[in-house]
Amino acid sequence: MAIDLRSDTVTLPSEEMRDAARDAPVGDDVYGDDPTVNELEAAAADAVGMEAALYVPTGTMGNQIAARVHTDRGQEILVDQQAHVYKWELGGLAQLSGLQVRTFDAGESAVPTPEQVRAGYVEEALHKAGTGLLSLENTHNARGGTAVSPAEIGTAADAAHELGIPVHLDGARLFNACVALDVDAPAMTERVDSVMFCLSKGLGAPVGSMLAGSEEYVEKARRVRKLFGGGMRQAGIIAAPGLLALDNVERLAEDHENAARLAAGLDDIDGLRVPDPDTNIVQVFTDDAGLTAEEFVSRCESVDVLGGAHAEYLTRFCTNLDVSRADVEAAVDRIETVMRD
Ligand SMILES: *Cc1c(COP(=O)(O)O)cnc(C)c1O
């Protein structure tokens, strides 16, 4: 069987999740009648220390709703040049909310300095639409699953608030950051205005993400979710596994240990350069071997190890709850053989 390290989204729902889906009490959630969705929204709000939360089908929809609610058309959104919301969401900020993107380079820290926030800020004026939102990301996906501390998130958020702009946190893998740094999620989100996190990544749910914020914010987000076509009916069927996924937070530590082992094993192979990961994302640089990521990925595929080419010489592997320690050891051994040839 292939060892699938393409993403932490490839996990299959457990038997318990399948049972929970079948047995979930449901109702029409557009009418607010689905007890399972209501329970999940309350649990999610509680988990991240926000007043309320909204169940959305995907992280992308959560981020796009967040941006739409915080801003007016034509405004600027300030984001890292490697941010998911900018790079991997089909220009949705422009298409769905009429926003212009202004980027900064967060570098290795994966979070802007207060100076970068101030430098990127545009004040509304006769000829200027002005900045409407700062969006942060934690863990930072494209920068290698970087875990950003609550202090750094808070400092960036404070800089934005001093300029009068709200802050959204793309926390698709928020709990990976929390587990890696041993902090509670509410500490991580204390100084931001909204946060999105995915149930369908490391936490192992088949579907779904949460967007959390104040009561008032989530009420507005509910209308925008409807606008974007995300008003779901008997959604308790998919929300029930999401409730179980919230129990998978602590075990993310295993994924992080497996990622560290994978990185160390691969880094020992000639031609591969593999930085120590903060969380469950392992970045493999193959430029020393003169091997493009596509070539490397296809060599790995030939021995049933799956990864993703993310840049010309950068391959990403992602540990997840369907990948055991033995799988990781096997992946290292198999990749060693294909690199020897
Ligand atoms: C995966 C991801 C998303 C989007 O989530 P989907 O459920 O795939 O739409 C958003 N932000 C980050 C940082 C992600 O890694």
Side-chain angles (χ1 to χ4, degrees), residues 124-319:
E124 189 183 312
L126 181 61
H127 299 282
K128 293 179 176 180
T131 305
L133 180 65
L134 169 68
S135 184
L136 305 173
E137 187 171 317
N138 197 15
T139 65
H140 199 304
N141 183 345
R143 292 191 182 279
T146 318
V148 182
S149 73
E152 291 170 299
I153 294 286
T155 303
D158 288 353
H161 289 148
E162 278 161 25
L163 297 163
I165 56 174
V167 181
H168 172 65
L169 178 61
D170 174 355
R173 297 186 181 82
L174 180 76
F175 291 101
N176 291 87
C178 293
V179 166
L181 299 171
D182 194 22
V183 295
D184 290 337
M188 208 56 108
T189 61
E190 201 178 0
R191 280 137 85 187
V192 302
D193 302 286
S194 58
V195 59
M196 183 284 288
F197 69 90
C198 294
L199 299 163
S200 57
K201 291 191 170 164
L203 301 182
V207 188
S209 296
M210 307 303 305
L211 174 61
S214 68
E215 293 271 7
E216 192 193 345
Y217 179 85
V218 170
E219 211 174 294
K220 290 181 187 159
R222 200 174 288 282
R223 291 192 80 229
V224 175
R225 183 184 67 177
K226 193 76 176 73
L227 173 68
F228 288 177
M232 298 177 286
R233 303 299 180 172
Q234 286 71 33
I237 294 286
I238 50 175
L243 268 165
L244 294 175
L246 290 174
D247 295 334
N248 282 337
V249 169
E250 293 310 320
R251 67 148 305 286
L252 292 171
E254 271 175 58
D255 295 346
H256 299 176
E257 283 160 25
N258 284 338
R261 170 64 200 126
L262 179 65
L266 295 179
D267 194 52
D268 281 344
I269 297 171
D270 261 358
L272 303 183
R273 193 161 45 81
V274 189
D276 275 342
D278 280 359
T279 55
N280 68 327
I281 292 175
V282 174
Q283 292 190 320
V284 181
F285 295 92
T286 48
D287 40 336
D288 289 349
L291 203 62
T292 66
E294 304 234 341
E295 290 164 343
F296 177 65
V297 165
S298 73
R299 281 197 195 187
C300 292
E301 218 177 280
S302 72
V303 287
D304 270 345
V305 177
L306 308 184
H310 277 236
E312 192 165 10
Y313 293 100
L314 168 62
T315 296
R316 189 187 81 167
F317 291 125
C318 213
T319 55

Side-chain angles (χ1 to χ4, degrees), residues 56 58-68 77 79-97 99 101 133 135-137 139 141 168-173 196-198 201 209 211 228:
V56 289
T58 65
T60 299
M61 190 188 283
N63 280 338
Q64 295 298 329
I65 292 171
R68 178 63 172 257
I77 174 172
V79 296
D80 177 38
Q81 59 192 29
Q82 298 288 338
H84 191 284
V85 67
Y86 169 49
K87 279 182 78 178
W88 303 108
E89 299 185 13
L90 292 105
L93 296 170
Q95 299 211 56
L96 303 171
S97 298
L99 296 174
V101 171
L133 180 65
S135 184
L136 305 173
E137 187 171 317
T139 65
N141 183 345
H168 172 65
L169 178 61
D170 174 355
R173 297 186 181 82
M196 183 284 288
F197 69 90
C198 294
K201 291 191 170 164
S209 296
L211 174 61
F228 288 177

